[in-house]
Amino acid sequence: MTKKETKKILFQDNFSHFPIGEFPFDPDHSATGEYHFITETGYVGNWVNQVCNYTYNGSGPSWIITEENGNHYMEQMRIEKNKPHRIFPTLQTGSHLWFDYSAQVTLRRISTKGCAGLAFCMQNSLNTLVFLLENNYAKLVYRHKEHVGTLCETPFLHNCDNDYLLSVSIHGEEVICSINNHNVLKTSTPLAAKGGKIGITADCPTQFTNVLVEADYTTYTAILAKQEKENQTITTLKSQYPTMKLWKKIDLKNFGTSRQIRFGHLTGTEEWHIVLAQAQKRVHRDAYAHISCLTAIDLNGNILWQKGEPSEHSAVLGKISADMPFQVYDINGDGKDEVICGRNFEIQILEGATGAVLQSVKTPLSTEEDASLIGVPYHIYAFDRINPDGIRIANFSGNSKPSDLLIKDRYCRVYALNAKLELLWKYQSPKNTGHFPLAIDINGDGKDELLCGYTLLDSQGNPIWTLPIETDHTDEIVAGKWMEDSEKGYFACVSGTQGFFLADFQGNIVMHDFIGHAQRISIGNYCPDLPGFQIIVSNFWGHQGILYLYDSKGNPLWEMENECNGNILAPVNWKGDGTDLILLNADITKGGLIDGNGHQAVSFPNDGHPTLCCEAIDLCGDSRDELVVWDYHSMYIYTQSDGILTNCYHPVKYPIYNASNYRGEYSFPDTSYLTFKENPLSIK
């Protein structure tokens, strides 16, 4: 082997293959990507932009491709640093299996009002080492979750006019950083030994070019061997699970929708039906969205009934990030599911089979002073009556089955109604209601308490306690007895910039992890070899699409980045053996079902199926889940390739009659994990 051959190129890019213009981004960036798979169009080369255009509804790209003297530059052009969440714009490339490599990039700081540099040993965009220039210093920093720590630094004068060649060399735990081929920093850290991807990063305008990553021949060969071993592991894993088989394909014609669907038995038989809601925005973004069309269909796509007028422009009209106020549930106990919805400033109970209005009542008047309301655009409530943001089935009355309703406005008020649609009580939150308050019987008296944002209410709407948190709002909540060797119940919450936390039923926070903007959560038997259940969490705004797995007590197990948004995290009973898989999204490469090690166990077929939305639900009746994927035009339903089985494991899962885009999900062996007799007033 010649000396020239002792170095192997892992990656090289001078951006000459990129056309001048914008690096692909989501110009309409909104909360839609929290639970929809949104893909940008355009050429990205081998780069991934996992740090989203974080301003709501977009404000232009973070990255553009520019040219000077025949050279192409990838230019970071964003100057906001904390709007609305702390972010570090980063383009990343490479493999998590890379190790012991050298990396370099040439950069020009066209602004020195921030930092710019080379990320390396990157596990994800919020878990990385960065060699950067900032405030006339050269620094080696470690970014992890909300923590940024300087490992070492040295003065280094630099300006906006010159190019600087930044280089890093990693060997085991040793890191050497150089500028213009002169060593400036040297340290040892176990973080380097983990290896990982590389990235270019800046929080102020900066031009990058000539990225080069190399490794010696021995390391290069070892990296290839690691990749082959991982591929074999995944192949072996997939062989242990049935593949997906297309069961139903439905043309949604003009009544298709986003993730606004509900499942139920509308005719009183075991036959499943689906209700789809199209929506329109009113006044301001998603603050007052309303149902414009309701369509009930069977699993063959036949229409039972339709209320409202469907629109062929639903892909535009239907980009709603909020819940639409409707549920499917047998609220009157006649053995048939009704459709309970909020339309035209009324709460309506519709006959499931026909859509006929069985009962209705006007929504409450907005009588409070507008200045006292939380989250109201322009500081004025738009309508005289409440525009419902969501509906939940609950049991505040202590009936034999849940028969009460909880409706809410966007962020401030909740209203409890009985089965006759009479007002039981209302509550105006001084903090924020969150998206979907959780009703659960904590003390075992047959009546639900309500975790409304950060405040626990009793069955009559009186506050019991409030968590010591003042900012942001709760996106999703799970309650249960999931900890190993414990009969105590807990809340697991994801709450935006407050990250992920566990709280007991007495209002004590027992674990708190600031992971950026925490968005989704579920609990299941993801790692059957571990005691208790495991908790998986994702984030979205800013550094989006990072998955965190915790044990039953909230200790971190691993984190990964599948480089996708719209990760649902639903627990899926796919094999029927008691092990839960995790549903990400419907992308054929990076989505599918992963196991408790983060490996893809089941993938979606490359059959042209829609990828916008996905859901897991048992439709065939053997206790195992089917996978439903759809967009505005079509719906595909997949079942297992091994056919319908008998005697499968049947978990207790989140009730389908309380569907929401903001529901925290769970999968437990039986109802004992959801049965409590605790005093929420006692402090232990």
Side-chain angles (χ1 to χ4, degrees):
M1 184 180 297
T2 66
K3 185 176 181 180
K4 187 177 180 179
E5 293 174 318
T6 60
K7 285 285 188 180
K8 299 288 288 186
I9 294 176
L10 295 175
F11 179 80
Q12 188 172 18
D13 202 346
N14 63 5
F15 305 112
S16 60
H17 51 103
F18 280 89
I20 301 301
E22 300 173 340
F23 189 90
F25 72 110
D26 178 12
D28 301 318
H29 186 74
S30 72
T32 304
E34 294 170 351
Y35 40 81
H36 296 83
F37 181 59
I38 307 294
T39 57
E40 296 84 15
T41 58
Y43 179 70
V44 299
N46 292 310
W47 296 91
V48 175
N49 182 15
Q50 240 356 68
V51 185
C52 65
N53 178 19
Y54 52 95
T55 301
Y56 199 101
N57 282 348
S59 61
S62 295
W63 299 88
I64 59 174
I65 299 90
T66 57
E67 180 271 339
E68 185 177 354
N69 297 324
N71 298 315
H72 280 204
Y73 295 88
M74 187 66 71
E75 181 176 321
Q76 202 292 120
M77 51 159 281
R78 194 163 297 284
I79 61 175
E80 307 104 320
K81 294 179 173 53
N82 297 286
K83 184 185 177 182
H85 311 291
R86 185 178 189 182
I87 62 98
F88 298 100
T90 304
L91 287 185
Q92 62 192 61
T93 190
S95 168
H96 67 283
L97 299 176
W98 285 0
F99 71 100
D100 285 4
Y101 56 79
S102 61
Q104 64 181 47
V105 65
T106 298
L107 63 82
R108 178 192 174 195
R109 305 201 62 192
I110 52 180
S111 168
T112 58
K113 299 174 182 177
C115 65
L118 175 65
F120 62 100
C121 295
M122 179 185 289
Q123 302 298 301
N124 55 64
S125 65
L126 272 181
N127 187 354
T128 183
L129 292 168
V130 186
F131 177 39
L132 55 81
L133 301 178
E134 183 177 34
N135 297 328
N136 283 322
Y137 276 84
K139 299 180 179 181
L140 178 61
V141 304
Y142 177 51
R143 299 173 181 168
H144 190 211
K145 300 175 180 175
E146 291 293 290
H147 171 75
V148 180
T150 300
L151 302 181
C152 54
E153 63 181 15
T154 188
F156 182 79
L157 296 177
H158 56 281
N159 56 51
C160 64
D161 299 318
N162 295 323
D163 290 346
Y164 300 93
L165 176 64
L166 270 62
S167 307
V168 296
S169 178
I170 312 128
H171 185 72
E173 296 186 356
E174 183 181 75
V175 180
I176 299 174
C177 304
S178 64
I179 301 177
N180 298 335
N181 297 315
H182 297 286
N183 294 346
V184 295
L185 295 172
K186 182 178 180 180
T187 191
S188 181
T189 171
L191 298 168
K194 295 181 178 181
K197 302 177 182 182
I198 66 103
I200 54 176
T201 180
D203 65 0
C204 58
T206 304
Q207 295 176 330
F208 298 86
T209 192
N210 295 332
V211 181
L212 176 65
V213 187
E214 296 179 304
D216 62 44
Y217 184 82
T218 301
T219 301
Y220 176 79
T221 303
I223 291 172
L224 293 180
K226 288 174 66 177
Q227 183 64 69
E228 179 60 27
K229 183 179 180 180
E230 183 172 280
N231 292 342
Q232 290 177 356
T233 298
I234 294 173
T235 299
T236 301
L237 175 65
K238 286 186 173 182
S239 69
Q240 299 171 4
Y241 290 90
T243 59
M244 295 188 196
K245 176 185 177 181
L246 181 62
W247 181 46
K248 300 282 186 179
K249 182 179 179 181
I250 302 172
D251 182 2
L252 298 181
K253 303 180 178 69
N254 287 338
F255 57 82
T257 185
S258 59
R259 206 163 177 266
Q260 306 287 349
I261 67 172
R262 306 288 188 263
F263 299 87
H265 305 280
L266 299 182
T267 59
T269 67
E270 294 184 355
E271 181 184 7
W272 283 99
H273 301 92
I274 304 174
V275 181
L276 305 91
Q278 290 186 346
Q280 284 183 285
K281 298 183 181 184
R282 282 173 164 166
V283 184
H284 180 76
R285 292 194 328 216
D286 298 344
Y288 303 104
H290 80 109
I291 297 173
S292 57
C293 183
L294 276 177
T295 305
I297 63 172
D298 63 19
L299 294 189
N300 293 314
N302 300 309
I303 298 177
L304 274 69
W305 51 265
Q306 192 168 74
K307 297 185 76 68
E309 182 177 337
S311 171
E312 62 182 4
H313 303 296
S314 58
V316 176
L317 299 175
K319 288 185 176 179
I320 304 295
S321 65
D323 279 337
M324 289 296 95
F326 72 117
Q327 301 290 0
V328 175
Y329 179 67
D330 182 12
I331 194 142
N332 60 17
D334 66 352
K336 305 175 185 179
D337 284 340
E338 287 75 47
V339 177
I340 304 143
C341 65
R343 296 189 72 232
N344 194 29
F345 303 101
E346 290 185 346
I347 303 301
Q348 300 176 344
I349 298 177
L350 310 180
E351 184 177 51
T354 67
V357 178
L358 300 177
Q359 197 174 352
S360 68
V361 68
K362 296 290 187 182
T363 61
L365 290 166
S366 179
T367 57
E368 292 79 10
E369 291 291 331
D370 289 350
S372 71
L373 302 180
I374 296 171
V376 176
Y378 314 118
H379 307 291
I380 182 171
Y381 197 79
F383 309 120
D384 283 3
R385 292 192 179 275
I386 300 300
N387 185 83
D389 180 76
I391 291 178
R392 178 171 213 117
I393 312 299
N395 191 1
F396 302 119
S397 302
N399 297 321
S400 58
K401 57 170 274 187
S403 57
D404 300 319
L405 304 178
L406 185 81
I407 65 171
K408 60 182 288 292
D409 63 5
R410 185 66 168 155
Y411 290 124
C412 187
R413 296 166 291 189
V414 295
Y415 304 81
L417 311 177
N418 63 20
K420 297 179 181 180
L421 303 184
E422 299 167 332
L423 181 67
L424 297 174
W425 50 263
K426 66 177 182 179
Y427 173 73
Q428 180 178 348
S429 175
K431 292 184 177 181
N432 193 304
T433 61
H435 284 289
F436 202 55
L438 178 65
I440 187 81
D441 183 8
I442 290 176
N443 58 15
D445 67 350
K447 300 179 181 181
D448 285 340
E449 284 73 41
L450 184 75
L451 185 58
C452 182
Y454 301 129
T455 300
L456 185 70
L457 308 178
D458 67 16
S459 59
Q460 297 178 319
N462 303 305
I464 300 174
W465 49 251
T466 298
L467 294 169
I469 300 176
E470 298 298 330
T471 59
D472 220 319
H473 58 259
T474 298
D475 283 291
E476 297 185 358
I477 312 167
V478 182
K481 296 187 291 192
W482 59 76
M483 285 196 189
E484 56 186 285
D485 304 321
S486 177
E487 288 296 311
K488 193 173 170 62
Y490 293 90
F491 294 112
C493 304
V494 285
S495 298
T497 54
Q498 287 296 314
F500 160 57
F501 64 88
L502 302 179
D504 65 18
F505 288 170
Q506 290 74 44
N508 305 298
I509 295 176
V510 299
M511 172 269 175
H512 204 156
D513 195 8
F514 292 91
I515 61 171
H517 184 103
Q519 187 62 51
R520 303 201 64 91
I521 188 171
S522 72
I523 299 176
N525 187 25
Y526 301 130
C527 302
D529 295 336
L530 296 180
F533 298 84
Q534 293 73 52
I535 309 165
I536 189 161
V537 174
S538 69
N539 62 10
F540 182 67
W541 291 96
H543 296 253
Q544 65 180 16
I546 304 173
L547 312 178
Y548 300 89
L549 190 73
Y550 302 85
D551 68 13
S552 67
K553 297 183 178 180
N555 300 306
L557 296 175
W558 52 255
E559 56 190 70
M560 62 170 284
E561 190 174 51
N562 71 328
E563 300 177 346
C564 291
N565 55 34
N567 293 308
I568 300 302
L569 304 191
V572 178
N573 181 28
W574 186 252
K575 195 175 180 179
D577 63 351
T579 299
D580 294 307
L581 298 178
I582 303 163
L583 174 60
L584 299 181
N585 54 62
D587 182 66
I588 61 173
T589 304
K590 300 176 181 179
L593 307 180
I594 62 172
D595 70 355
N597 294 313
H599 296 142
Q600 189 185 65
V602 184
S603 58
F604 281 93
N606 187 11
D607 59 359
H609 66 267
T611 59
L612 181 69
C613 311
C614 60
E615 191 68 271
I617 181 174
D618 176 21
L619 297 174
C620 288
D622 69 351
S623 300
R624 299 187 299 172
D625 291 318
E626 277 63 55
L627 300 174
V628 185
V629 299
W630 73 97
D631 59 12
Y632 304 104
H633 312 292
S634 65
M635 176 179 289
Y636 287 49
I637 305 177
Y638 297 94
T639 190
Q640 293 82 4
S641 58
D642 56 355
I644 296 176
L645 302 182
T646 59
N647 301 318
C648 290
Y649 170 72
H650 185 81
V652 174
K653 302 182 72 175
Y654 187 93
I656 61 169
Y657 58 76
N658 269 328
S660 169
N661 291 314
Y662 299 95
R663 66 184 188 266
E665 298 195 54
Y666 54 82
S667 178
F668 297 134
D670 55 62
T671 58
S672 67
Y673 296 88
L674 298 167
T675 304
F676 315 104
K677 291 185 178 180
E678 295 189 36
N679 182 2
L681 294 173
S682 66
I683 305 296
K684 300 180 180 179

